[in-house]
Amino acid sequence: MRKILAVLLFAPFFIACEKEIEEPVGKWTPMEWENISYTKVTDTTNGEYYIVPVEGGDFVFRCKNYGPWLSSLRLLKFDKSMNLTDNQDIYGDDIKNHVSYINDWCSVLTKGDSLKVTFQKNDTLPRGLSVTVTAGDVFGYFKFIQESQTK
């Protein structure tokens, strides 16, 4: 009787361990973004990016199929000729709860299915920002370069 009771008691555990769980590693649907009507440029030096005017402004994107959060950022510095001179990676504790980042010239915020990137007026050399968002094993990438009054 004890043997039968032990078998019945542990049977669900063994059955659960036997069941193969299908992981969608590498099979996630790519992020789909809505309302992307901002000016985007592609060049051989900087790749694909959004142009931010000297005056700054807001860029708002809505993800149709995920609720993304911030994974990492990269601050970019350029010379007058738009050659990249320096960059600084931002990740981990520098991104508040993986939802926001603020410095003296830009801010990034994720909330629900939205990503909002805000730029202040640029009185210095051209500068840029790369933003990586994630929703698990799927990623979205945004690159911005802000123009400069300095010629």
Side-chain angles (χ1 to χ4, degrees), residues 20-141:
E20 189 174 317
I21 298 173
E22 195 171 315
E23 271 296 317
V25 174
K27 297 180 182 176
W28 290 53
T29 304
M31 289 185 170
E32 296 176 29
W33 296 92
E34 185 176 276
N35 297 332
I36 301 178
S37 59
Y38 305 110
T39 304
K40 200 173 199 181
V41 182
T42 302
D43 67 38
T44 55
T45 306
N46 295 303
E48 189 174 80
Y49 60 92
Y50 294 97
I51 297 173
V52 180
V54 173
E55 303 80 34
D58 294 333
F59 289 76
V60 180
F61 304 92
R62 185 180 161 277
C63 187
K64 293 193 232 180
N65 55 344
Y66 294 102
W69 61 89
L70 295 176
S71 176
S72 65
L73 305 163
R74 177 173 281 176
L75 306 177
L76 309 168
K77 291 183 182 179
F78 297 92
D79 63 17
K80 291 179 185 178
S81 301
M82 290 300 296
N83 296 310
L84 184 64
T85 60
D86 191 21
N87 65 64
Q88 176 187 1
D89 291 326
I90 309 291
Y91 53 88
D93 293 338
D94 293 327
I95 300 173
K96 187 175 180 182
N97 297 321
H98 293 280
V99 297
S100 68
Y101 172 79
I102 299 172
N103 71 15
D104 59 338
W105 59 271
C106 71
S107 65
V108 183
L109 173 68
T110 58
K111 185 174 183 182
D113 61 359
S114 297
L115 168 67
K116 182 178 181 182
V117 183
T118 302
F119 293 88
Q120 303 302 317
K121 184 178 179 183
N122 187 4
D123 295 323
T124 65
L125 293 169
R127 58 193 178 193
L129 174 68
S130 292
V131 178
T132 302
V133 294
T134 186
D137 197 19
V138 62
F139 298 88
Y141 306 95

